[in-house]
Amino acid sequence: MNKRWCLWPLVAVLAGCAGPGARSGPQSWRCEHGIDFRVRFVDDSALLEGPRTSEVLFRDAGGQGPQQSVYSNAKMRAEFGLGAQGREALLSYPALPLKARCVRD
């Protein structure tokens, strides 16, 4: 038997272990105070890009239940998965102090 054929089941198992959801496509969000941004979730980070800023936030403690997640860095904190449908978020800027409620497009 060809050794390459023996490796295919192992490759399939390892690919399955990576699991879906490690990365996500970009999501568009609209917020109060004229804040708009796109976010891409990669592993334990959230990459936020807006017209005025680009931030990398890291997974943080918090959130109630599996649909809610919290990400933060020194400048901001973002809580995703809020609201009845999980389509709302809250951005907090502690240095300003400013909070903005957001909804996913």
Side-chain angles (χ1 to χ4, degrees):
M1 184 195 255
N2 188 336
K3 289 184 181 181
R4 283 185 282 174
W5 289 105
C6 294
L7 293 177
W8 281 109
L10 178 61
V11 171
V13 168
L14 291 176
C17 290
R23 296 177 181 260
S24 74
Q27 299 174 356
S28 297
W29 293 79
R30 288 178 289 115
C31 309
E32 299 171 318
H33 312 294
I35 300 170
D36 295 327
F37 67 93
R38 292 171 59 96
V39 64
R40 180 184 307 265
F41 298 99
V42 179
D43 298 324
D44 284 334
S45 62
L47 311 173
L48 278 71
E49 293 184 6
R52 293 177 248 161
T53 188
S54 180
E55 295 287 338
V56 176
L57 307 178
F58 298 98
R59 187 72 186 250
D60 202 348
Q64 298 177 358
Q67 102 179 26
Q68 292 184 5
S69 56
V70 179
Y71 297 84
S72 65
N73 67 12
K75 295 181 186 176
M76 67 186 303
R77 176 180 167 99
E79 300 175 50
F80 294 98
L82 304 177
Q85 303 297 319
R87 296 176 47 85
E88 297 176 24
L90 179 65
L91 296 183
S92 303
Y93 299 85
L96 295 179
L98 173 71
K99 291 190 178 196
R101 298 197 182 279
C102 309
V103 65
R104 186 173 64 217
D105 286 339

